[in-house]
Amino acid sequence: MDMIKLIGIGVTGAVSAILLKEYKPVYAICIAIITSALIFLMTLSEIKYVFSVIDTISQRLSLNSEYIRTIIRIIGFSYLSRFGSEICRDAGQNAIAQKIEFAGKVMIIATSIPILTSVLNLLIGILPT
């Protein structure tokens, strides 16, 4: 991934959205969404690389792959909910942005329950009865 290209796309999209906002606000929002999606799509190969490295490390260390996948899912929910909520804020839809953030937090909590349960079971096993 070429960072210069990403910055160029981002700056071009931002300037275009600013220029169009005065005349055609709907087009400005569309440009902002398209620019954001394009930048996200351009980073997918790097995201896949990070996941493969994490998977390789977890296999070498004989870590429970389910826990690693769960943590990666949690990080993904965090980034995606932030990404979606920022797009909504750019469009002036703060209420929807807050709902996306809320949903992301609920998904994070729901996804983390198996890890939390394992930690609590471990603590219960360690504590004297």
Side-chain angles (χ1 to χ4, degrees):
M1 171 179 55
D2 191 4
M3 194 63 193
I4 303 292
K5 287 180 186 176
L6 286 173
I7 292 170
I9 290 170
V11 170
T12 303
V15 170
S16 299
I18 289 169
L19 293 174
L20 280 175
K21 190 172 188 176
E22 186 176 328
Y23 303 106
K24 297 282 186 176
V26 174
Y27 292 149
I29 293 169
C30 290
I31 285 178
I33 291 171
I34 290 168
T35 301
S36 298
L38 186 59
I39 290 171
F40 178 74
L41 291 173
M42 289 178 68
T43 60
L44 277 180
S45 64
E46 297 297 323
I47 293 170
K48 288 178 185 177
Y49 171 71
V50 170
F51 289 159
S52 70
V53 169
I54 290 172
D55 190 45
T56 302
I57 291 170
S58 69
Q59 287 176 1
R60 285 186 184 165
L61 297 175
S62 299
L63 298 174
N64 187 337
S65 63
E66 191 59 36
Y67 294 146
I68 300 296
R69 283 192 203 107
T70 301
I71 291 170
I72 290 172
R73 256 194 244 128
I74 290 169
I75 293 168
F77 288 146
S78 173
Y79 278 114
L80 289 174
S81 63
R82 179 65 186 250
F83 188 78
S85 69
E86 289 300 324
I87 288 174
C88 290
R89 278 196 183 84
D90 289 344
Q93 299 297 320
N94 289 328
I96 295 173
Q98 290 174 344
K99 302 316 181 272
I100 290 173
E101 288 175 352
F102 174 75
K105 290 173 185 175
V106 170
M107 294 297 294
I108 288 169
I109 291 169
T111 303
S112 66
I113 287 176
I115 292 176
L116 181 62
T117 304
S118 295
V119 169
L120 289 175
N121 286 335
L122 181 65
L123 288 174
I124 290 170
I126 292 174
L127 294 175
T129 55

